[in-house]
Amino acid sequence: MTHQDKHNLLTMKDIVKEGDPILRTVTDNVAIPPSDEDKQILNKMMQFIKNSQDETMAKKYQLRPGVGLSANQLGFNKRMFAAYLTDEKEQLHEYAWINPKIISHSVQMTYMPYGEGCLSVDRQVPGYVPRYDRIKVRAYDIEGQEVTVKLKGHVAIVVQHEIDHLNGIMFYDHINQDNPFELPDDVAIKSLY
Ligand code: UDB
Ligand code: ZN
């Protein structure tokens, strides 16, 4: 790690917190192929997530262990996000996606049994966040190549959470106002775990 890199590291203070209007903005599409500047932003976002999952780095820079980050969480009005996590089958998912779109989804829904949090939200918000169990996403990767990927379970939840950010939607917008642990009864729902 060079001196220069260190000062370019994203930390929690770079992350926009709830209340900032950028988190309620429907973000703009990014030009394809992405500019060097957009690629650099996306690479830094991915590095932040990886650092946050590295025990040494997380401790040193006080990072919350994250699995995804959208560009508007850094204040950029740009339609792109990074996600990095291993799924239920120990498969690694590493996505740096531009202009992502859910092109189809299951009727079946799912939710995180302990609810969701957010790197932009410094409080606990109890309640179930119903999500599609399976999604098919079309996006452009950092090289500007179109990709179509089918996802399910936890990684599908993460990608829906990030695409929501790009549409100005927060996870708690999906929580039932009257009873946070009530689920919609018009669809079959299963708990993730
Ligand atoms: C997260 N992390 O990064 F089930 F190994 C959350 C925070 C807000 C708690 C840091 C997370 O869910 N980590 C996690 C969960 C597991 C297993 C595991 C690590 N986000 C990302 C975010 O706010 N992006 O905008 C919130 C997640 C809640 C549901 C999907 C994204
Ligand atoms: Zn979030």
Side-chain angles (χ1 to χ4, degrees):
M1 168 98 20
T2 66
H3 186 70
Q4 185 66 358
D5 288 335
K6 185 186 151 190
H7 292 279
N8 278 321
L9 269 187
L10 293 175
T11 60
M12 297 308 295
K13 68 167 172 35
D14 297 304
I15 296 183
V16 167
K17 296 297 152 57
E18 59 176 333
D20 191 309
I22 192 70
L23 293 178
R24 290 308 193 175
T25 300
V26 178
T27 55
D28 291 340
N29 275 317
V30 171
I32 300 297
S35 65
D36 287 345
E37 194 205 328
D38 289 343
K39 288 181 162 154
Q40 207 172 75
I41 294 168
L42 207 40
N43 280 326
K44 279 177 70 165
M45 288 163 58
M46 183 60 79
Q47 197 55 57
F48 168 84
I49 301 169
K50 290 181 178 178
N51 288 343
S52 80
Q53 292 181 25
D54 179 300
E55 231 180 286
T56 310
M57 294 295 278
K59 203 167 175 183
K60 186 168 176 187
Y61 295 103
Q62 307 260 290
L63 309 175
R64 287 177 77 187
V67 287
L69 184 68
S70 64
N72 53 336
Q73 288 180 282
L74 295 174
F76 298 107
N77 182 354
K78 289 175 186 290
R79 209 160 185 83
M80 52 189 200
F81 75 82
Y84 184 83
L85 68 154
T86 47
D87 68 15
E88 298 86 336
K89 289 177 179 165
E90 298 295 312
Q91 281 288 125
L92 183 69
H93 296 259
E94 176 170 355
Y95 306 124
W97 281 346
I98 299 166
N99 304 340
K101 199 177 162 68
I102 295 175
I103 56 170
S104 65
H105 62 78
S106 59
V107 171
Q108 175 93 63
M109 298 191 86
T110 188
Y111 59 94
M112 301 282 276
Y114 301 108
E116 295 188 14
C118 181
L119 290 164
S120 295
V121 179
D122 288 330
R123 63 194 172 100
Q124 296 276 97
V125 185
Y128 295 141
V129 179
R131 302 280 190 192
Y132 301 123
D133 183 52
R134 282 162 281 127
I135 56 174
K136 193 197 271 187
V137 182
R138 188 160 292 158
Y140 294 90
D141 67 16
I142 199 159
E143 306 302 336
Q145 295 293 318
E146 191 184 84
V147 293
T148 305
V149 180
K150 286 164 95 172
L151 301 169
K152 59 177 161 53
H154 187 211
V155 62
I157 290 175
V158 174
V159 167
Q160 288 171 81
H161 179 112
E162 302 314 329
I163 292 176
D164 268 356
H165 275 307
L166 300 178
N167 290 324
I169 298 165
M170 301 294 286
F171 72 92
Y172 44 74
D173 299 348
H174 297 288
I175 298 175
N176 186 301
Q177 294 276 349
D178 306 320
N179 179 0
F181 294 99
E182 191 178 294
L183 292 160
D185 51 275
D186 54 331
V187 281
I189 284 208
K190 64 177 188 192
S191 171
L192 185 55
Y193 297 113

